[in-house]
Amino acid sequence: MKLEQNLIYVKDIVLGDVNEVKDGVLTVDVEGLKAAVLEDEKIKDVKIDVAKPGERTRIVPVKDVIEPRFRVGRRNGFPGVTTKYEQAGDGAVNILKGATVVTIGDLVGFQEGVIDMWGEGARWTPFSKTQNIVVDITPIDGLDPHAHEVVVRMAGLRAATFVGLAAKDAEIDETKVYEMATMAEETAKYPDLPKVAYVEMTISQGLLHDTFFYGVDLKEILPTWYHPNEELDNAVISGNCVAACDKITTYQHQNNAMALDLYEQHGKTINYIGNIFSPELTTLDGKFRNCDYTAKLCEQLGVDGVIVSEEGYGNPDSDLVMICSRLEKRGIKTALVTDECSGWDGTSQPLTDTAPEAVAVVSSGNVSKVIDLEPADKVLGNIKSAQTLAGGWDGCVAEDGSLKVELNAVIGATSEIGYHNASVKLY
């Protein structure tokens, strides 16, 4: 497969009556964007705003972050979700790099998170550095929780697709090519390089805990091999609204930092042979089945090493170390990427499970770290929702609008596939 990503760098964003990019400034057709969102009769109202780096703007509660794109010569959108299915990963895509669509509004349950565009909060989220189009969605009354979640998720995808039309005829600043042939062909080219696979664990546990591949709910399938280009080309979307710090937004799937780093080393230090989804289930039988199946796939592919990244924490920690144990016992070197839930003082047990084989572990930070966020000049959304976020609590919002929250509450703060700002200090 060969994927050409044509990057159009967005340095500023304004609301107007046309979709276009000129001299790095993205103009968004507000009425057209509203119409695209309101195509669903289950949506009662939508508001559009922008949030720019350095502004004292707070966005809360965020549902998803999506990169606007235009898929050249192909069905434009998200294959199997907003368009009919077609294989992703082969072809060209024009990308509004540096721009996002951020969906907010009345969400199901207590989940989701905060993006601050300035100050202490901006240090912890990668989306403080992007030009954000904020889409505030109000569904009609009376929707059951599952229908509500679908309405908001799909509205964000339609919004990103509409904004992405601005990339259709825009001047391209840079083109990056991601190309990988069949496993046999790549091995023939690099016979002396170790074969390395990437296992991406994904939340797959029901309402607000889902991930979709070509529109297929991953909790309904066994672990699956796929070409990294597919994820980099809109085949994977997030339906996960759990702890904001380590949820993998749709944007982060579109720009999977782990896959991009492995691509960078392909043909140099490793032979990168592709990715495997390993859904994180809730049942013990489901965990055993998926961990066994993941290890079997890696063994049958003949890999020498595997990198495994987690999504979330808690019970998925068991999946993480079980996969590691099974791979290491097969003689396959395994490195794990996870965040830690180590308590406010950092001294609690970081993972809920362990295994003697888990000796190469990369931490993306402590989700329990408490941060103080000063008052914003502008709040997009509902500041009070911070009290019911994972990482917030009753009273965490002060009268002056300042927040005291755990990193749990900050979108992308400890992302386990990379694309975040946190690090760990060893003592």
Side-chain angles (χ1 to χ4, degrees):
M1 285 188 179
K2 181 179 180 180
L3 179 65
E4 295 183 8
Q5 291 193 343
N6 300 317
L7 308 183
I8 299 126
Y9 290 112
V10 175
K11 301 173 184 176
D12 195 9
I13 187 167
V14 295
L15 301 180
D17 56 6
V18 64
N19 265 9
E20 65 178 14
V21 183
K22 288 185 177 179
D23 300 321
V25 179
L26 170 63
T27 302
V28 178
D29 177 0
V30 175
E31 294 306 316
L33 177 54
K34 286 182 178 179
V37 174
L38 291 169
E39 286 176 7
D40 189 340
E41 62 185 13
K42 296 184 182 69
I43 295 177
K44 179 167 57 178
D45 189 28
V46 61
K47 299 174 184 176
I48 310 296
D49 212 324
V50 297
K52 304 179 183 183
E55 295 180 339
R56 295 177 62 90
T57 301
R58 175 164 293 143
I59 315 171
V60 60
V62 175
K63 159 67 174 170
D64 198 8
V65 184
I66 311 160
E67 185 169 67
R69 300 175 163 195
F70 180 80
R71 302 175 77 241
V72 180
R74 303 175 293 162
R75 293 188 176 98
N76 190 38
F78 295 83
V81 183
T82 62
T83 71
K84 290 184 178 180
Y85 164 79
E86 67 176 357
Q87 183 176 281
D90 224 355
V93 58
N94 293 355
I95 301 175
L96 297 176
K97 186 57 65 177
T100 80
V101 168
V102 177
T103 50
I104 65 172
D106 180 25
L107 303 180
V108 182
F110 59 86
Q111 286 90 348
E112 229 24 291
V114 178
I115 296 174
D116 273 3
M117 301 303 296
W118 91 105
E120 177 67 15
R123 293 181 57 220
W124 298 102
T125 175
F127 302 113
S128 63
K129 296 178 177 60
T130 50
Q131 303 286 338
N132 302 318
I133 304 157
V134 182
V135 182
D136 190 345
I137 302 159
T138 303
I140 62 174
D141 297 331
L143 292 180
D144 71 66
H146 289 81
H148 186 157
E149 189 279 327
V150 172
V151 164
V152 178
R153 170 163 38 94
M154 295 297 291
L157 300 179
R158 290 197 306 278
T161 302
F162 178 82
V163 174
L165 293 173
K168 180 179 180 181
D169 299 313
E171 183 177 346
I172 296 165
D173 295 306
E174 182 181 4
T175 296
K176 294 187 176 182
V177 177
Y178 299 97
E179 186 171 11
M180 187 186 298
T182 66
M183 197 178 309
E185 291 171 310
E186 295 298 319
T187 300
K189 283 193 290 185
Y190 310 115
D192 299 324
L193 293 180
K195 291 187 286 185
V196 175
Y198 168 39
V199 172
E200 183 177 350
M201 294 170 54
T202 55
I203 289 283
S204 310
Q205 300 179 343
L207 178 62
L208 302 178
H209 296 67
D210 285 320
T211 307
F212 300 88
F213 186 43
Y214 291 111
V216 177
D217 189 335
L218 286 182
K219 70 174 175 288
E220 304 295 336
I221 67 175
L222 288 167
T224 300
W225 180 93
Y226 64 99
H227 197 290
N229 285 10
E230 295 175 275
E231 186 168 15
L232 299 175
D233 191 30
N234 286 12
V236 186
I237 62 173
S238 172
N240 172 13
C241 305
V242 198
C245 62
D246 55 17
K247 75 163 285 176
I248 305 172
T249 63
T250 299
Y251 186 104
Q252 288 162 299
H253 283 298
Q254 293 170 303
N255 297 275
N256 189 316
M258 194 76 70
L260 294 175
D261 283 350
L262 287 166
Y263 244 128
E264 177 63 28
Q265 293 303 313
H266 179 59
K268 300 175 183 177
T269 61
I270 62 170
N271 177 13
Y272 177 28
I273 67 166
N275 300 358
I276 296 169
F277 277 127
S278 187
E280 303 167 0
L281 304 183
T282 55
T283 65
L284 193 57
D285 273 355
K287 289 180 181 295
F288 285 149
R289 179 178 64 246
N290 279 5
C291 293
D292 283 349
Y293 207 94
T294 297
K296 180 192 70 175
L297 270 178
C298 292
E299 184 177 36
Q300 292 297 310
L301 291 170
V303 302
D304 301 297
V306 175
I307 296 176
V308 187
S309 67
E310 187 177 3
E311 183 175 20
Y313 58 86
N315 78 77
D317 294 348
S318 293
D319 304 63
L320 182 74
V321 298
M322 284 196 292
I323 291 171
C324 175
S325 180
R326 285 156 172 75
L327 288 170
E328 288 282 348
K329 288 177 180 177
R330 286 169 164 82
I332 299 170
K333 296 297 183 183
T334 308
L336 308 180
V337 185
T338 177
D339 54 20
E340 304 173 46
C341 188
S342 302
W344 285 15
D345 63 359
T347 62
S348 297
Q349 179 177 320
L351 302 180
T352 61
D353 202 355
T354 187
E357 295 82 9
V359 294
V361 183
V362 176
S363 171
S364 59
N366 177 17
V367 306
S368 305
K369 176 181 172 62
V370 177
I371 56 175
D372 292 296
L373 307 179
E374 57 189 315
D377 291 342
K378 180 179 180 181
V379 175
L380 300 180
N382 176 13
I383 186 67
K384 291 295 185 183
S385 67
Q387 297 181 143
T388 52
L389 302 177
W393 56 88
D394 188 20
C396 74
V397 181
E399 290 186 6
D400 66 355
S402 60
L403 302 180
K404 181 184 284 289
V405 293
E406 296 176 350
L407 282 185
N408 262 311
V410 179
I411 291 284
T414 62
S415 174
E416 292 145 302
I417 65 166
Y419 198 83
H420 64 89
N421 299 336
S423 61
V424 201
K425 184 175 182 180
L426 298 180
Y427 292 94

